[in-house]
Structure formats: C-alpha cells, structure tokens
C-alpha cells in the first residue's frame, strides 16, 4: 500500500491536525496519565529511577535524567518503529542507522560513533533488564512490554563500566508479580502494517510468579525497483520476539530468570543515488520515497536471530543485600546493501562499479557477570561495592562484489571493581562519591580470505597477511556529586565525573586490501550543575542542567571519502558544552503539556588531523585542504551531533460514559547537524522535524482502549545520513504511517 499523497495530507492538516486542545510535545518525563476509574488528580506523580542501581525519586538523583513510560512510550512506538524512534524524543539524545532495524547508533550530548560496521564500539551503553548490550546487533532488540526507559546523560563509568563515556539508555521490562494481569494489543495501518503484542503474568505458587511477553510486527514491501521494473519489492519486515520470566520470592531471597529471543527478517536502509545536488543539502528531483533503482541482487535484505538469558539473585542479610546477575547473549545473521544507491545510468555523478557489500555476523557470544553488595538501611550512610566481568567473541564476514570475502574475529574481555557511597550530611545535603577500576583487553585476527578472481587478474587486489592484534588498558574512573535541597520542592545538584573508553580495533578495511586500525583509549572529564523542581502545587516539574566536558584522545571513525575507508583515528581533544531543560506541566486535571530543549556545542581540537573528503570532487568541501587534498577538520563539530533538539507534547481529554476520549500530539525539531567529520555544503541537515498524533477512547469499565494514530504525519523527508565516495547518495527517515489499534487488559 502506497503512502498517501501530499494533497490528501494537506486536506488532513486543514481538517484539524493539531487542534488548540493538543499543542505539541516531546519528552518522556511523566509517568502514565494519572487517570483512574474513580476520578482524576492534577498533581504529577513521583517518578522512580534506578540510575544509581537503587530505587530513588528522579528528583533526588544528582544526574541529568529523562524517562519515558506508559502512554508516551506507546504513542512513540505505535507504528512499530525500531529502537531508533527514540531519536530527538529526549533533549540531548539522538539515534540513526544505515543498517535498517538491526544496528542502531546512539548519541548523547553529541557524543557517539558513526561507524556502521558490526564490530563498532559505541560510547553510549544500552542496558536491558540490568544487562549491557554491547554489540550493535544486541542493541537493536525490539521493545515491548516495557515498564520504563531511562536516559542517563553524561559518563557513567562508576556503576556501569561498558563504554559509557557519553551516557546510558536503560530499559526495564515489566516484571512478574503475584497479581494476575494481562493485555493484548493489535495494530493495523498503512504500508500493510500489522502488529500483535501481548503479555500475561501472575502467581504460580505463593513464592513463584511468571510473565510471558510476545511481539509480532509486520510491514509489507512498498518500495518499487524502477531498474528491474518490479513493484513492492523492498521496505518491509517481519519481527518476532518473546520474553519469559520467572520470579521466586521469599523474605530473604529473590531469583529472577529472564529468557528472551528474537527473529528478524526485513529490508536494510535504502540508499538513494544522487538525491542531493552539488552545493545544496536539500533533496532534489531524483528523490522518490516510493522508488529506488537497484542494479544489484539481494534487495538490501537482512536477517538476524538472537537469544539470551539472565539469572538475577538477591540475597538479603541484616542491613545489606547481595546481588548476582549472570547473563548470556547470542546472535547470528547478516545483510546486504547496494551502497552506491542505484545503477550507473541514473542522472548525476556515475558510480563506476557495482558497489554492493554484505556483512555476516558469525556466532556472537557475550557473557557478563556482576556481583554487588549494597547497604539496606535508613541511616545517613549508604554504599554499594562489587565486581563485573565481560567476555565477548564474534566473527564478521565482509563480502564485496569486487574484492571478495574476508573473515575477521574480534574478542573482548574486561573486568572491573567498583564502589559508591552516599552520605547525608544534613536533611538538605547529600554527597556521593564513586570509583571504578577497569581492565580491558581486545583481540583481533584475520581468518579466511577469498579474493575475487577478477580483482586478482587486473591486479587490483592481493591476499594480504596481517598478524593478530592484542591491545589492553586499565584505568580508574570516578565521580563526585552533591544534591542540595533548596526547599521541599527544589533541589540543586553538581557532578564531576571521569570515565574512559578502552582501545578499539576496526578490521573492516582488511576486506578491501587495507590494514586494520586501532584507536587509543579516550578519557572524558565532565562537569555539570543543575536544578530539579516540582512547582505550582506539584503540577509543574522543571528540570535543567548545564554541562561541559573534554575528551582526551577522542576516538573517531574516518568513514567514506574518496578512499571509501573505515579507519579508526584519535583526535587530540574533543570539547562539548551546553544545557538541557525538561518540563512536564499539568495545566488542568485534563490538560498536560510537556517537552524539553537541549543546546549542544561540540568541537574537535587537533591542528593536524585530516580525513579524506568526498570522492571525485562531487561535493563542496568547506574545510581547508592540505597538499594531499585531505580536509583539515580542526574546529569541526562532532559528526551526527545535533546542535539543538526541541521536543513538545500535549494531552487533552474529556470524559464520556464509562471512560474518556483523549487527544495526544508530539513534535520534535532537530537543529543543525553535520553528517561527517569534514564539513560540506551537501552533507548536513538543519531543522528536520517530525510530528505525531493520536486520538483514542478509553473505557475504564471494561479495560479496553481503541485509537487512531499517525506518525510523521506531515510526511517529512529528512536526510539522516549519506555515502560520499562516488555520488551524492543519502538515506532518509521513516515514511508517514497511519493506523488503528485496540488494546484490552485483564486483571
């Protein structure tokens, strides 16, 4: 089913897209809508977070945090989007991918990694149900039956030690309980969308409870291939996932078993050739969302299978709790991409080769073990200490239509000891200090190489032998923070933290007859001060923070350019500073407004650092060039780091017999963003925006809800990324979708 035309869209907008009752909004600050069957309340609910591995009010934690749950979470993901739908829904948080639904890239306060390879290291950690998901495929596990999402900004190297120089996104699923509850939710929409989600849980015995959560998502192929004349051959996906949990509880002991799996098959990101015009960053007449012109087999297909299990024990002693979390994650799969974006006959600069790459993830195994002892008293002193072990191995087989196939193997072992303590000096002042020692070892080796025979004949490729690589580092991370309660409703906080990301190895270029690269460890020192307040009789929550950080030896991925390489490099220093503000305002018992804004200025500082700019002079490079025509990037912003993010949302409801009808709208605006390490007139974006709308009826008597929704309702075509080696190829955001959904709950 095709996208609606812009004329239909215009009519829909004129019919009242955003009524005065709705307004705009983003972020994820408040909990559910605070509606119950007996009435309403205007005050905001207390939000509980576990950013410091203990349950605390978000207003008491001396860290900049935003949360998402309940109705707001369901609205954002109503169209079945993958995890990257979180992009710009929270101030300071961005996400993008050139690998479809399989390998997301996250950025917090401008700090992330643009590397598209399956072995890429990222400074933003994804924590799912207390387990770090390190590999990019593990990070893409679908979201369903989620209790809460926490976006924890800034380095978190004390309690969370896996590459958290930028921050953490923490996902917690709904846990089993003795009380029975269940729900079924079904969604149907444009582009052949059909989603089914459900969960059921309750007590099995007096001590044992269980919960089963299931997800099925489908979108039909909707993109035509004009080169072959085929219709509806790309753009779809099938996603299946499940989670089974058992919770055993006694007065002194809890055990939680979590087993989960995923099966995914779909289309990767669609690369579109020459959709930019030299000298402009605007999409041109070559761009057609419904059509691509691919001359390569494979149709950008990708498929991945993943499964994992974790076992968490809590032993309660007199005044303390011992926690053990053991986890195993596995994954396999791969995908193919027509990365030149089309066939040579298209208008614009031509690509001389059939540029198609295929990457296969082989036998990913990740094992983690954490042991933590934490105080459990009401005194002024609280503390926790523990150890962490991480072990990961996997192979990547990169296949290129010209050079051939190359298999490489990555290994990573790490262990850490950590401790954190908080002391309440007075009723108003808390001080927290933490420290962590981490030892990290990474290995790399090259396996089988099958160079394409044609490339050998013409002398374009040779089988190169590379020795195995082993790098290691050990460092101490620390933090010191304070929280001061200015009044009963307002607190001030300050935090200084230092973290590090260990060395990284990138071996993708071996497949293209170039050596692997190694980046030295990067070290970040971050300062932030902020305020958190509940105002106007607890109807307005206003939180804000100002931050400044420096990164010594910042790790960067030099991707693309005329050499089309993927090399790790270090810059002498990176600097970032700015602020973020989050708010949630219950104007009336039936009218809520929310949102936030972030400003983030980033800058690379290295007088001698160069990268290869776009190939064949096809783009307008704005940086100075040296004698070798390499771009000098000193002073440039970090790549894929939005300078500003604005998010707004609003909810208005009115009562009807047995329930209520509500309207919810959300809007996000992304400021100036540079796509690569070098700056050009073409490879950037500014003022990208999206909006969503939902109209629903909730029946509290019968516990069901039925609604209609739209995502990207104005059908914005936003440039998300590009490939710069031989033509002006780009990829864009998700299309506009509309749909209906129905959810019924049982208690």
């Amino acid at each position: 089913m095709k996208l609606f035309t812009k004329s239909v869209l215009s009519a829909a907008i004129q019919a009242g897209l955003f009524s005065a009752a709705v307004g705009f909004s983003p972020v994820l600050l408040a909990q559910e809508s605070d509606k119950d069957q007996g009435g309403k309340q205007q005050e905001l609910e207390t939000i509980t977070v576990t950013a410091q591995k203990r349950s605390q009010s978000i207003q008491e934690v001396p860290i900049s945090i935003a949360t998402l749950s309940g109705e707001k979470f369901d609205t954002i993901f109503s169209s079945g989007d993958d995890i990257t739908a979180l992009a710009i829904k929270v101030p300071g948080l961005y996400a993008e991918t050139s690998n479809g639904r399989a390998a997301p890239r996250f950025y917090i306060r401008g700090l992330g990694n643009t590397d598209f390879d399956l072995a890429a290291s990222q400074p933003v950690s994804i924590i799912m149900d207390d387990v770090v998901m390190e590999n990019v495929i593990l990070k893409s596990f679908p979201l369903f039956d989620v209790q809460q999402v926490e976006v924890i900004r800034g380095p978190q190297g004390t309690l969370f030690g896996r590459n958290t120089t930028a921050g953490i996104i923490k996902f917690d699923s709904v846990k089993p309980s003795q009380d029975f509850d269940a729900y079924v939710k079904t969604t149907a929409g444009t582009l052949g969308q059909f989603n089914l989600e459900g969960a059921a849980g309750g007590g099995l015995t007096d001590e044992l409870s269980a919960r089963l959560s299931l997800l099925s998502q489908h979108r039909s192929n909707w993109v035509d291939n004009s080169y072959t004349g085929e219709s509806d051959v790309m753009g779809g996906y099938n996603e299946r996932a499940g989670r089974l949990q058992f919770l055993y509880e006694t007065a002194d002991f809890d055990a939680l078993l979590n087993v989960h799996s995923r099966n995914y098959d779909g289309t990767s990101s669609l690369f579109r050739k020459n959709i930019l015009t030299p000298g402009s960053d605007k999409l041109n007449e070559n761009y057609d969302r419904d059509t691509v012109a691919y001359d390569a087999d494979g149709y950008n297909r990708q498929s991945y299978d993943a499964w994992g299990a974790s076992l968490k024990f809590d032993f309660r002693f007199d005044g303390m709790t011992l926690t053990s979390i053991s986890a195993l994650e596995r994954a396999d799969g791969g995908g193919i991409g027509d990365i030149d974006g089309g066939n040579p006959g298209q208008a614009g600069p031509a690509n001389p080769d059939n540029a198609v790459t295929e990457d296969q993830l082989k036998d990913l195994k990740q094992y983690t073990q954490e042991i933590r002892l934490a105080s459990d008293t009401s005194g002024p002193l609280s503390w926790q200490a523990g150890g962490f072990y991480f072990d990961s191995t996997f192979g990547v087989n990169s296949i290129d239509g010209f050079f051939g196939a190359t298999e490489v193997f990555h290994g990573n072992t790490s262990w850490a000891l950590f401790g954190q303590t908080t002391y309440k000096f007075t009723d108003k002042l808390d001080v927290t200090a933490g420290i962590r020692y981490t030892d990290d070892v990474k290995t790399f080796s090259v396996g089988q190489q099958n160079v394409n025979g044609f490339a050998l004949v013409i002398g374009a490729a040779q089988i190169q032998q590379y020795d195995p690589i082993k790098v290691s580092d050990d460092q101490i991370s620390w933090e010191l923070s304070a929280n001061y309660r200015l009044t009963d409703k307002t607190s001030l906080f300050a935090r200084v933290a230092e973290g590090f990301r260990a060395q990284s190895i990138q071996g993708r270029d071996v497949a293209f007859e170039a050596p692997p690269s190694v980046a030295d460890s990067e070290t970040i020192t971050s300062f932030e001060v902020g305020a958190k307040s509940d105002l106007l009789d607890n109807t307005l929550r206003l939180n804000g923070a100002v931050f400044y950080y420096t990164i010594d030896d910042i790790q960067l991925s030099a991707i693309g350019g005329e050499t089309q390489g993927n090399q790790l490099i270090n810059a002498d220093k990176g600097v970032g500073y700015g602020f973020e503000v989050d708010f949630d305002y219950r104007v009336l018992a039936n009218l809520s407004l929310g949102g936030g804004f972030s400003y983030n200025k980033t800058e690379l500082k290295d007088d001698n650092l160069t990268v290869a700019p776009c190939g064949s002079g096809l783009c307008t490079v704005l940086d100075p060039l040296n004698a070798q025509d390499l771009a000098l990037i000193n002073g440039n912003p970090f790549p894929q780091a939005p300078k500003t993010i604005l998010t707004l949302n609003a909810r208005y409801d009115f009562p009807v017999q047995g329930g209520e009808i509500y309207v919810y709208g959300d809007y996000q605006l992304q400021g100036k963003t540079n796509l690569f390490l070098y700056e050009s007139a073409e490879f950037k974006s500014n003022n990208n925006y999206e909006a969503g709308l939902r109209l629903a009826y909730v029946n509290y008597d019968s516990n069901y809800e039925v609604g209609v929704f739209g995502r990207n309702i104005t059908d914005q075509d936003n440039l998300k990324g590009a490939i710069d080696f031989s033509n002006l190829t780009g990829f864009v955001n998700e299309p506009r979708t509309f749909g209906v959904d129905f959810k019924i709950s049982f208690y």
Side-chain angles (χ1 to χ4, degrees):
M1 184 175 183
K2 292 295 183 181
L3 295 173
F4 291 114
T5 64
K6 291 186 180 295
S7 60
V8 175
L9 171 64
S10 177
I13 295 175
Q14 294 175 12
L17 202 52
F18 285 110
S19 65
V22 181
F24 291 92
S25 109
V27 200
L28 343 145
L29 288 178
Q31 294 288 76
E32 295 275 356
S33 59
D34 296 336
K35 306 297 186 297
D36 57 48
Q37 298 183 31
K40 303 177 182 178
Q41 64 181 26
Q42 189 171 342
E43 292 187 3
L44 296 169
E45 288 187 343
T46 299
I47 299 176
T48 300
V49 297
T50 54
Q52 294 186 315
K53 293 195 175 181
R54 60 175 74 237
S55 295
Q56 297 171 281
S57 166
I58 191 174
Q59 301 301 91
E60 299 294 323
V61 179
I63 304 173
S64 180
I65 305 173
T67 67
L68 172 64
S69 63
E71 189 176 273
K72 292 181 174 63
F73 177 90
D74 292 341
T75 298
I76 291 172
F77 290 93
S78 58
S79 189
D81 288 341
D82 67 294
I83 195 172
T84 58
L86 291 171
I88 66 174
K89 304 301 189 300
V90 175
L93 174 65
Y94 187 59
E96 50 88 23
T97 179
S98 56
N99 289 290
R101 298 167 67 90
R105 301 187 284 264
F106 295 95
Y107 308 78
I108 294 180
R109 291 177 173 173
L111 183 56
N113 184 7
T114 59
D115 191 351
F116 61 89
D117 189 65
L118 298 180
S121 166
Q122 294 185 351
V124 176
S125 270
I126 302 298
I127 310 292
M128 291 188 174
D129 291 327
D130 295 319
V131 177
V132 62
M133 299 296 184
E134 179 65 13
N135 185 270
V136 291
I137 299 303
L138 299 180
K139 293 177 190 289
S140 65
F141 195 86
L143 305 178
F144 58 101
D145 200 22
V146 170
Q147 180 70 36
Q148 182 165 272
V149 181
E150 300 175 24
V151 179
I152 309 170
R153 305 176 180 111
Q156 308 296 323
T158 300
L159 296 180
F160 303 93
R162 289 302 310 160
N163 298 342
T164 52
T165 50
I168 287 171
I169 309 175
K170 188 173 181 292
F171 301 88
D172 291 303
S173 60
V174 178
K175 300 300 186 292
S177 71
Q178 286 293 315
D179 298 326
F180 172 79
D181 75 284
Y183 74 90
V184 177
K185 180 180 179 181
T186 183
T187 303
T190 55
L191 306 182
Q193 175 188 350
F194 184 78
N195 302 334
L196 183 63
E197 178 182 336
L204 302 178
T205 69
D206 289 343
E207 294 84 18
L208 182 64
S209 58
R211 186 174 186 87
L212 175 65
S213 309
L214 298 172
L215 175 72
S216 174
Q217 294 179 324
H218 169 81
R219 178 184 289 177
S220 299
N221 287 327
W222 55 277
V223 178
D224 302 337
N225 188 354
S226 64
Y227 183 74
T228 62
E230 297 172 284
S231 299
D232 299 331
V233 291
M234 283 172 276
Y237 57 79
N238 288 289
E239 182 89 73
R240 307 286 186 268
R243 183 188 304 113
L244 178 62
Q245 300 177 87
F246 292 96
L247 177 61
Y248 181 80
E249 300 173 284
T250 68
D252 300 321
F253 171 71
D254 295 342
L256 176 64
L257 174 65
N258 180 319
V259 181
H260 48 273
S261 67
R262 173 203 193 185
N263 173 263
Y264 163 70
D265 179 76
T267 304
S268 184
S269 300
L270 295 176
F271 309 106
R272 303 169 188 271
K273 181 178 181 179
N274 293 322
I275 60 173
L276 299 171
T277 300
S280 172
D281 62 352
K282 305 302 180 185
L283 300 176
N284 61 27
E285 65 277 2
N286 291 328
Y287 170 72
D288 179 0
R289 187 186 278 279
D290 294 339
T291 306
V292 296
Y294 284 1
D295 56 347
D297 296 330
Y299 297 121
N300 280 37
R301 304 303 302 174
Q302 59 178 185
S303 62
Y304 287 93
D305 293 300
W307 67 269
S310 64
L311 184 59
K312 180 180 180 181
F313 295 116
D314 286 310
F315 301 89
R316 284 179 287 277
F317 304 105
D318 185 17
M320 64 186 69
T321 299
L322 178 65
T323 299
S324 171
I325 305 173
S326 306
L328 174 67
E329 300 292 334
R330 301 288 300 272
D332 287 282
I336 188 170
D338 190 340
I339 61 171
D340 62 30
N343 72 85
Q346 283 184 287
N351 183 40
D353 305 310
N354 183 9
V356 179
T357 60
E358 181 177 356
D359 292 292
Q360 299 291 335
L361 181 70
K362 300 293 186 181
D363 196 23
L364 169 67
K365 299 177 184 177
Q366 176 190 287
Y367 173 74
T368 58
Q369 174 65 56
E370 180 175 347
I371 297 178
R372 183 173 72 249
L373 186 65
S375 63
D376 188 17
T377 63
S378 58
L381 178 67
S382 61
W383 53 267
Q384 54 185 308
F388 176 79
Y389 177 76
F390 174 92
D391 185 272
S392 174
T393 58
F394 61 92
V396 177
N397 191 20
S398 295
I399 304 168
D400 177 76
F402 183 77
F403 285 97
T406 299
E407 190 175 42
V408 299
F409 298 97
H410 291 264
N412 185 194
T413 58
S414 178
W415 63 271
L417 299 174
F418 62 87
Q420 187 183 80
T421 183
T422 299
Y423 189 78
K424 184 184 292 290
F425 285 91
T426 68
D427 290 339
K428 292 182 176 294
L429 178 63
D430 298 342
V431 175
T432 299
I435 192 168
R436 184 185 191 102
Y437 171 80
T438 302
D439 183 277
D440 192 281
V441 178
K442 290 186 175 70
T443 60
F444 172 84
S445 62
V446 179
Q448 186 175 0
Q449 295 178 273
N450 297 314
V451 175
N452 188 294
F454 176 72
L456 284 172
V457 168
I458 66 174
Q462 303 179 48
I463 296 179
Q464 301 287 340
Q465 301 297 323
Y466 297 102
D467 294 332
I469 298 174
K470 180 179 180 180
V471 294
S472 63
D473 194 9
D474 61 297
Q475 292 196 31
I476 292 177
S477 305
W478 57 269
E479 70 169 296
L480 181 65
S481 62
N483 191 74
Y484 182 77
R485 296 166 186 81
L486 193 63
T487 68
D488 291 342
K489 302 299 181 182
T490 301
S491 62
L492 307 177
F493 71 90
R495 180 173 184 261
V496 57
E498 186 170 285
F500 92 107
R501 179 158 62 121
Q503 298 110 316
S504 298
I505 304 174
Q506 178 52 267
R508 182 179 181 81
D509 277 4
V510 174
F512 302 93
E513 312 312 316
S517 56
V518 178
D520 295 333
S521 300
E522 66 180 19
T523 304
I524 184 171
T525 304
S526 171
F527 304 87
E528 64 179 286
V529 295
K532 300 182 179 184
S533 57
D534 290 336
L535 307 171
L536 304 180
D537 295 326
N538 290 334
T539 62
L540 172 62
R541 179 164 296 139
L542 184 61
N543 296 343
V546 178
F547 63 87
Y548 176 86
Y549 63 81
T550 60
I551 312 173
D552 291 328
D553 298 318
I554 180 173
Q555 296 184 20
L556 303 170
S557 294
I559 297 172
E562 190 162 13
T563 60
Q564 191 51 23
N566 188 347
Q567 290 282 306
L568 290 170
I569 58 176
N570 290 98
D572 286 345
K573 183 177 292 187
V575 174
Y577 60 88
F579 66 89
E580 58 246 349
V581 177
D582 304 307
F583 78 93
D584 195 29
Y585 183 28
R586 189 67 52 79
V587 183
L588 303 169
N590 64 339
L591 175 61
S592 300
L593 304 176
F597 180 80
S598 64
Y599 171 82
N600 188 48
K601 172 70 173 178
T602 60
E603 186 176 356
L604 296 171
K605 292 184 175 295
D606 190 323
D607 292 337
N608 300 312
L609 190 62
T610 61
V611 296
C614 51
S616 304
L618 59 90
C619 75
T620 309
V621 180
L622 303 179
D623 295 318
L625 303 177
N626 66 9
Q628 291 75 42
D629 289 329
L630 299 177
L632 293 157
I633 62 173
N634 181 53
N636 284 2
F638 299 172
Q640 293 286 9
K643 194 170 185 178
T644 58
I645 292 175
L646 171 68
T647 64
L648 298 169
N649 64 60
R651 186 190 196 275
Y652 178 80
D653 63 73
F654 54 92
V656 296
Q657 182 65 37
E660 69 176 18
I661 294 176
Y662 72 84
V663 185
Y664 179 91
D666 63 282
Y667 172 85
Q668 301 85 37
L669 176 65
Q670 174 187 340
K672 184 178 180 181
T673 307
N674 197 50
L675 302 185
F676 297 122
L677 288 170
Y678 66 90
E679 290 192 284
S680 70
E682 297 83 3
F683 298 128
K684 58 185 177 64
S685 64
N686 193 19
N687 294 328
N688 285 348
Y689 71 89
E690 288 190 12
L693 189 65
R694 177 176 174 80
L695 173 66
Y697 166 68
V698 183
N699 187 299
Y700 292 124
D701 294 335
S702 300
N703 296 319
Y704 72 84
E705 177 176 340
V706 59
V708 295
F709 66 86
R711 302 305 302 171
N712 188 17
I713 55 177
T714 58
D715 199 22
Q716 290 303 118
D717 299 301
N718 295 328
L719 183 67
K720 299 285 288 185
I723 298 176
D724 66 345
F725 69 99
S726 65
N727 55 61
L728 294 168
T729 295
F731 46 94
V732 299
N733 61 330
E734 286 292 299
R736 176 182 56 197
T737 55
F738 294 108
V740 297
D741 56 39
F742 176 80
K743 179 180 181 181
I744 185 167
S745 301
F746 307 92
Y747 302 99

